Amino acid sequence: GQQVQQSPASLVLQEGENAELQCNFSTSLNSMQWFYQRPGGSLVSLFYNPSGTKHSGRLTSTTVIKERRSSLHISSSQTTDSGTYLCALVYGSSGNKLIFGIGTLLSVKP
Amino acid sequence: GPKVLQIPSHQIIDMGQMVTLNCDPVSNHLYFYWYKQILGQQMEFLVNFYNGKVMEKSKLFKDQFSVERPDGSYFTLKIQPTALEDSAVYFCASSRDWGGADQDTQYFGPGTRLLVL
């Protein structure tokens, strides 16, 4: 079956430190989507990244299809970055579906 | 970014009753989705919907579940009858397209927290 594994499960940083979140997948895919899930539960789309590297402010996403992995890099972390980061494999042959990882819980301390 | 709205934000009902969850997708989007997240667990795909039809559904999409979008109004998820295990947060999402480009990006609503007693 389709599998998406995220690491680490949780991460604690001091403000200003960088973070590298990993996502590994075991099946072919259309793309990878990264989300930030707020403590209240709502999801914010960060990146849609089928391959290569994309940048958005302090965030960078890199997807390497051959190695079946995608990463999210957060530079100069801030306390407001705290929350859960989810990767999701964009998969499907009759319309897309997202197959989610369990998430990385990030806590940034002042 | 694009906004998806969900109504209601919370719903408490007795087991066996019917419930309808409403989603107002992004205005020019053509593909619609429902996902289910039980507290502390992984988000899971339920169903996707395009051009008035279910395209794919997961094993979680039980016979008691149905979806529709009559005349371009709300995209709805109906559960009839409800069971205790249906308690979860249900997220609606929409995308412009599918097939491997940026227009596939799925945008999520804030979720409806359903509690079945």
Side-chain angles (χ1 to χ4, degrees):
Chain A
Q2 303 105 7
Q3 293 285 339
V4 179
Q5 294 177 326
Q6 277 192 256
S7 61
S10 62
L11 185 60
V12 179
L13 299 176
Q14 287 297 129
E15 196 167 28
E17 291 183 327
N18 299 333
E20 185 86 8
L21 311 181
Q22 296 287 345
C23 187
N24 293 283
F25 46 92
S26 59
T27 190
S28 59
L29 78 171
N30 293 337
S31 185
M32 185 65 71
Q33 195 165 349
W34 282 92
F35 295 89
Y36 168 69
Q37 186 166 30
R38 296 192 177 103
S42 60
L43 275 76
V44 177
S45 178
L46 300 175
F47 291 102
Y48 177 94
N49 188 359
S51 67
T53 298
K54 291 192 172 185
H55 301 277
S56 176
R58 294 182 293 105
L59 305 180
T60 301
S61 167
T62 300
T63 298
V64 184
I65 297 289
K66 284 185 183 178
E67 297 177 14
R68 299 200 165 182
R69 63 176 177 85
S70 183
S71 63
L72 178 69
H73 183 85
I74 305 172
S75 63
S76 304
S77 61
Q78 301 174 359
T79 56
T80 51
D81 295 332
S82 296
T84 300
Y85 290 81
L86 301 172
C87 68
L89 190 157
V90 183
Y91 179 85
S93 57
S94 56
N96 282 333
K97 61 183 179 184
L98 297 179
I99 302 170
F100 283 85
I102 195 69
T104 293
L105 178 60
L106 176 66
S107 177
V108 182
K109 299 192 179 303
Chain B
K3 295 288 187 192
V4 175
L5 304 176
Q6 288 188 243
I7 301 166
S9 58
H10 296 77
Q11 181 85 55
I12 301 174
I13 60 170
D14 291 325
M15 182 177 62
Q17 286 190 319
M18 181 194 77
V19 67
T20 300
L21 309 183
N22 299 291
C23 173
D24 187 9
V26 179
S27 61
N28 64 344
H29 283 188
L30 302 176
Y31 292 82
F32 313 112
Y33 313 81
W34 284 103
Y35 293 84
K36 177 182 180 181
Q37 187 175 36
I38 294 173
L39 186 64
Q41 296 186 22
Q42 213 159 345
M43 180 92 70
E44 294 190 273
F45 168 80
L46 284 176
V47 66
N48 58 17
F49 188 86
Y50 168 73
N51 198 25
K53 298 175 191 172
V54 169
M55 298 182 70
E56 184 175 356
K57 56 187 180 181
S58 73
K59 293 177 183 177
L60 296 179
F61 194 80
K62 304 180 296 183
D63 291 343
Q64 298 89 328
F65 288 28
S66 63
V67 291
E68 63 176 355
R69 193 186 188 210
D71 300 324
S73 61
Y74 287 145
F75 175 51
T76 62
L77 173 65
K78 185 183 293 185
I79 309 174
Q80 181 178 26
T82 51
L84 295 176
E85 60 265 26
D86 296 331
S87 295
V89 182
Y90 290 85
F91 290 92
C92 171
S94 69
S95 67
R96 179 75 179 96
D97 204 341
W98 79 277
D102 283 357
Q103 293 187 89
D104 291 7
T105 302
Q106 291 187 30
Y107 294 94
F108 279 67
T112 293
R113 281 142 191 82
L114 176 65
L115 179 59
V116 182
L117 301 176

